[in-house]
Amino acid sequence: MKDKIFGVLQRIGRSFMLPIAILPVAGLLLGIGSSLTNATTIETYHLAGILGEGTVLNALFTIMTKAGNAIFDNLPIIFAVGVAIGMAKKEKEVAALSAMIAFLVMNVTINAMLQIDGTILADGTVASDVLSGTVASVLGIQTLQMGVFGGIIVGLGVAALHNRFHKIVLPNALSFFGGSRFVPIISTIVYVGVGILLFFVWPFVQNGIYALGGLVTGTGYVGTLIFGIIKRALIPFGLHHVFYLPFWQTAVGGTMEVAGQLVQGGQNIFFAQLADPSTVHFSADATRYFSGEFIFMIFGLPGAALAMYHCAKKEKKKQAGGLLLSAALTCMLTGITEPLEFSFLFVAPLLFVVQVILAGAAYMIAHILNIAVGLTFSGGFIDLFIFGILQGNDKTNWMRIIPVGIIYFILYYVIFRFLIQKFNLKTPGREDDDAETKLYTKADYKAKQGAKDQNGSVSGGDERSILITQGLGGKKNISDVDCCATRLRCTVVKPELVNDQILKQTGPSGIVKKGQGIQIIYGPSVTVVKSNLEDYLVNAPDEEYIAQETAPELEEEKKEETKNTVEKTTKKVLCSPFTGEAHPITDTPDEAFAGKMMGDGYMVMPEEGVVYAPEDSTVSFVFPTNHAIGLTTEDGVEYLLHIGVDTVKLEGKGFEMFVNNGDFVKKGDKLMAFDIQYIKEHAKSEACIAVFTGLTEEEEIVMKASGHVNAQEDIAEIVSC
């Protein structure tokens, strides 16, 4: 039960990352625009000639301010759509459209209920006895003030409906409305009901939120300390987004009237004050949920990195120094701490406990010192410059961060160095002699990846995808793939099939396993890792992968010995779908195919741009870019016919498909045509590969033909030992 709850919370947390990811650009637009149109700033620095009213720059920065405000003003619907996309498993674009529709329907329904109840009068005004702030305008609709909670309610609900109904089959008379078309229909119906329900329920929720917010704000500095400790402690579990978001975006984080409007949530209050020219000093009560991050991200953790470097073994110092320097700079500039935190979290949990306590105290210290620097994503120098330095010390007290930061640098350095040496903690550079020093990736993996890219063979991302799939127990064991800012987040069917040793070969800075939820930390490049993995999983063998207990080299030797001593039996003679020059699959100019990572088979260098059905079979799939076809014969043999190497990037150009998914074809039927010359000019190779993805371990492909072969002629055999 706990594992299921963790898995759900993990998915919810990662779904928040898409709408959260837009906040930095919105903050930049609002921060720069409002700073450079502020009358006080213009007057102080005598910039009226270039930034004063009526100038081109003033108009440009005014537009930037309004563009940034547009995002912050409409966060509820952004969260509705973003969460639906993040939680939907398939056809995410349908979930996004359904969420937008449901959000509008829900709020219009609430508006109608408010009019019926008399809360909203006939002239559109709010009744005088209604508590200020409980009714707000959302997309021009007067509705209950739910903030991003309203969007999250829609996003989660629509995603659940989408995952349940996007493949529904309706009776023939209504079949047009089946499948994904049914999702916006059912979402509309459901969210009329949700709107009515929320009209009665949400006022009680509002009272609870205000009470919780009052409890947090009422505990003063102690409440800030507790908030900071909990937020940092949740980092290893990836649940910190779920925890801090209400404090940033809802009344849990406090309320304040800014420019005549009641604003809820610490981050929203800061940006509302940022856009208000009359603001004299930003509210430290609002920014206490993030101002402290600048202290330990820019100063504290780099001190810890220096301590780990000085404690590294002499022979490993150079390698550890390079890795730690890269991670420290990432932390200082962007506020992404996980490369550093995960470098000691698993090998020295004691250091992470120290980090949690010191980081929590930093939030409290910033609050005590009335430091009021906002941020959009994390507490790195970029945000400090825009929302602290650029806004001026009078508004933010940003200069107080420097002396506190220096003290924190020393504290982290002294404490980390003492504990590392006292308890002989295995931080980077202090591993056993036969272990490798690493943070992001293994050095030999990078070298191998670079060499492959130079030689024009399979990219590191493809190899990494294969290893990730194997490490997670095979495609059949993977039920969901997504990511947040730094972590690949996967859900597996059987956690016991997950192999840490294989996953470590892909170069993560840490692996977190909690029941069926697996998080692999790659850093800011994780979105590319996720994209490559999703592409690979499209055509990966749908099977479980159980790693061999013995070394791969010994296994290969055993297989070779078995092949040489056991008599082979021909099970099936195979005909060529192509006309051209026949080769064994190991000659394919692509390491994934040549290494039989997708299965055994053969390769033909084509002389004719036509693919024929090699035998009677059913088309199991047609790849969206038309460069590959899957076939399943009547006796269960599975073909993957792949035209060219790296031809997926051609996006269907140069290919003409004659069949569709589910078609039955006879031997000799034309399956597709392709332009050999176009592929030669625009892809890596025109080689045509036939891969047999369903072979057992006892089966292999043995070539019967070499040199020229015509389509429909015998080319190979499936033999078993």
Side-chain angles (χ1 to χ4, degrees):
M1 185 65 175
K2 290 181 180 178
D3 292 343
K4 288 184 178 180
I5 293 173
F6 177 86
V8 172
L9 289 176
Q10 175 179 276
R11 290 181 62 203
I12 292 173
R14 74 176 179 228
S15 72
F16 289 166
M17 289 309 300
L18 181 59
I20 287 174
I22 194 62
L23 297 183
V25 67
L28 287 172
L29 290 170
L30 182 56
I32 295 173
S34 61
S35 299
L36 298 180
T37 54
N38 185 281
T40 303
T41 302
I42 294 171
E43 183 180 343
T44 301
Y45 296 103
H46 308 291
L47 299 174
I50 58 174
L51 295 179
E53 288 190 19
T55 63
V56 174
L57 286 177
N58 183 274
L60 175 62
F61 291 131
T62 299
I63 292 170
M64 290 174 62
T65 302
K66 290 186 178 296
N69 262 329
I71 294 173
F72 284 104
D73 289 345
N74 294 290
L75 280 178
I77 193 170
I78 292 173
F79 267 85
V81 175
V83 170
I85 292 172
M87 294 294 287
K89 294 181 178 179
K90 301 287 183 182
E91 299 187 70
K92 294 175 181 285
E93 66 281 1
V94 177
L97 176 63
S98 302
M100 185 182 69
I101 294 170
F103 184 83
L104 295 172
V105 167
M106 180 185 75
N107 283 289
V108 167
T109 301
I110 294 172
N111 174 268
M113 293 296 293
L114 290 172
Q115 291 186 39
I116 294 170
D117 180 65
T119 300
I120 297 178
L121 304 178
D123 60 359
T125 60
V126 179
S128 58
D129 59 340
V130 176
L131 181 64
S132 176
T134 57
V135 175
S137 178
V138 177
L139 298 177
I141 304 168
Q142 286 182 300
T143 181
L144 290 174
Q145 172 62 279
M146 293 183 287
V148 296
F149 277 135
I152 292 171
I153 290 170
V154 171
L156 293 177
V158 168
L161 293 171
H162 175 82
N163 292 335
R164 172 68 178 83
F165 293 113
H166 78 282
K167 290 185 178 180
I168 190 172
V169 177
L170 298 177
N172 288 339
L174 301 173
S175 60
F176 175 80
F177 302 102
S180 60
R181 295 189 183 98
F182 186 72
V183 177
I185 297 172
I186 190 66
S187 297
T188 300
I189 297 170
V190 168
Y191 273 87
V192 169
V194 171
I196 295 172
L197 179 64
L198 285 174
F199 169 77
F200 294 103
V201 172
W202 193 254
F204 297 101
V205 177
Q206 276 181 326
N207 292 334
I209 290 173
Y210 284 125
L212 179 59
L215 178 64
V216 173
T217 55
T219 52
Y221 302 135
V222 175
T224 307
L225 172 67
I226 294 171
F227 169 85
I229 288 176
I230 294 175
K231 181 183 176 185
R232 301 318 298 177
L234 289 175
I235 288 285
F237 308 103
L239 301 181
H240 50 299
H241 303 303
V242 180
F243 174 71
Y244 73 71
L245 192 67
F247 292 90
W248 282 22
Q249 295 294 331
T250 75
V252 173
T255 60
M256 181 177 292
E257 186 174 312
V258 182
Q261 297 291 324
L262 188 67
V263 183
Q264 301 179 347
Q267 191 181 53
N268 289 335
I269 291 171
F270 173 80
F271 281 106
Q273 290 185 324
L274 185 67
D276 181 13
S278 65
T279 300
V280 177
H281 192 286
F282 298 119
S283 169
D285 285 335
T287 62
R288 63 176 170 159
Y289 304 112
F290 34 79
S291 286
E293 294 186 5
F294 298 104
I295 296 172
F296 68 86
M297 290 181 180
I298 298 177
F299 295 93
L301 283 171
L306 183 62
M308 288 187 280
Y309 169 71
H310 283 161
C311 292
K313 295 178 181 179
K314 185 177 180 180
E315 64 273 16
K316 294 189 174 185
K317 221 163 198 174
K318 184 176 180 181
Q319 187 178 10
L323 295 170
L324 289 166
L325 176 63
S326 173
L329 288 174
T330 299
C331 181
M332 293 173 69
L333 290 174
T334 67
I336 294 176
T337 63
E338 285 162 312
L340 272 180
E341 286 180 309
F342 278 87
S343 68
F344 57 77
L345 171 61
F346 299 104
V347 296
L350 175 62
L351 297 180
F352 186 73
V353 173
V354 172
Q355 151 66 1
V356 167
I357 295 172
L358 289 175
Y363 288 90
M364 181 179 69
I365 291 169
H367 191 193
I368 293 172
L369 295 177
N370 202 32
I371 296 171
V373 180
L375 52 73
T376 57
F377 177 72
S378 200
F381 181 78
I382 295 174
D383 276 13
L384 174 63
F385 177 78
I386 294 172
F387 303 113
I389 299 173
L390 197 59
Q391 306 308 319
N393 190 60
D394 290 342
K395 283 187 174 183
T396 62
N397 288 332
W398 70 266
M399 294 183 68
R400 296 179 183 178
I401 292 174
I402 297 175
V404 178
I406 293 172
I407 295 172
Y408 253 65
F409 181 89
I410 297 171
L411 271 175
Y412 269 79
Y413 178 82
V414 171
I415 295 174
F416 269 62
R417 183 161 185 169
F418 170 77
L419 293 176
I420 290 169
Q421 294 177 335
K422 175 72 174 177
F423 298 103
N424 191 27
L425 302 176
K426 302 297 183 181
T427 50
R430 292 177 62 84
E431 305 89 348
D432 296 331
D433 291 338
D434 58 346
E436 186 172 14
T437 300
K438 65 185 180 70
L439 268 184
Y440 266 112
T441 58
K442 292 184 176 181
D444 61 345
Y445 178 84
K446 279 195 169 184
K448 186 177 180 182
Q449 183 181 16
K452 286 180 179 175
D453 289 341
Q454 289 175 2
N455 293 332
S457 58
V458 66
S459 70
D462 292 334
E463 178 176 316
R464 177 183 276 175
S465 298
I466 294 167
L467 290 172
I468 292 172
T469 303
Q470 293 177 349
L472 292 174
K475 176 181 176 179
K476 195 171 184 178
N477 195 45
I478 302 172
S479 65
D480 190 51
V481 174
D482 213 317
C483 70
C484 66
T486 55
R487 309 157 189 238
L488 183 70
R489 298 171 180 252
C490 303
T491 304
V492 297
V493 180
K494 299 178 181 178
E496 64 270 19
L497 295 183
V498 177
N499 189 299
D500 284 7
Q501 295 305 314
I502 295 177
L503 291 176
K504 287 177 181 177
Q505 295 178 46
T506 66
S509 55
I511 301 169
V512 179
K513 297 194 293 184
K514 186 70 173 179
Q516 294 176 299
I518 311 297
Q519 299 179 9
I520 314 169
I521 297 89
Y522 290 109
S525 63
V526 70
T527 53
V528 177
V529 176
K530 176 205 168 199
S531 179
N532 288 339
L533 177 61
E534 288 179 329
D535 289 344
Y536 169 71
L537 287 175
V538 171
N539 289 321
D542 190 18
E543 59 188 18
E544 291 180 349
Y545 181 86
I546 302 175
Q548 300 292 329
E549 295 181 356
T550 55
E553 294 82 3
L554 296 178
E555 287 297 316
E556 289 301 320
E557 290 178 9
K558 286 183 181 180
K559 288 180 182 178
E560 289 299 322
E561 290 175 5
T562 303
K563 290 177 185 177
N564 293 332
T565 56
V566 179
E567 184 177 351
K568 298 175 181 178
T569 303
T570 300
K571 296 186 67 176
K572 186 181 183 72
V573 176
L574 303 169
C575 294
S576 175
F578 320 108
T579 296
E581 187 176 336
H583 294 268
I585 196 169
T586 51
D587 290 350
T588 307
D590 179 278
E591 186 170 326
F593 287 115
K596 302 182 182 180
M597 296 178 187
M598 303 179 193
D600 204 353
Y602 54 82
M603 183 264 288
V604 174
M605 296 302 291
E607 297 171 1
E608 178 189 12
V610 180
V611 181
Y612 300 91
E615 54 184 299
D616 294 356
S617 51
T618 300
V619 178
S620 51
F621 70 85
V622 174
F623 203 79
T625 52
N626 288 344
H627 74 288
I629 305 175
L631 302 174
T632 302
T633 65
E634 294 176 333
D635 57 356
V637 175
E638 297 176 354
Y639 283 79
L640 167 62
L641 304 180
H642 193 285
I643 310 304
V645 176
D646 288 347
T647 44
V648 66
K649 67 182 182 182
L650 300 183
E651 299 181 343
K653 294 178 182 177
F655 298 94
E656 182 182 2
M657 191 64 62
F658 303 129
V659 294
N660 297 303
N661 290 343
D663 287 354
F664 180 78
V665 294
K666 303 286 288 182
K667 180 178 179 179
D669 288 351
K670 283 186 179 183
L671 302 179
M672 77 153 84
F674 57 95
D675 188 331
I676 298 176
Q677 190 59 37
Y678 182 83
I679 294 174
K680 283 183 179 180
E681 293 173 357
H682 295 88
K684 184 176 174 181
S685 171
E686 75 276 21
C688 298
I689 308 107
V691 180
F692 297 85
T693 57
L695 299 182
T696 66
E697 291 196 4
E698 292 76 28
E699 295 175 334
E700 63 174 323
I701 302 298
V702 175
M703 298 297 296
K704 284 191 66 178
S706 61
H708 180 79
V709 62
N710 289 317
Q712 309 307 308
E713 290 183 355
D714 293 352
I715 187 172
E717 296 175 339
I718 299 177
V719 302
S720 63
C721 300

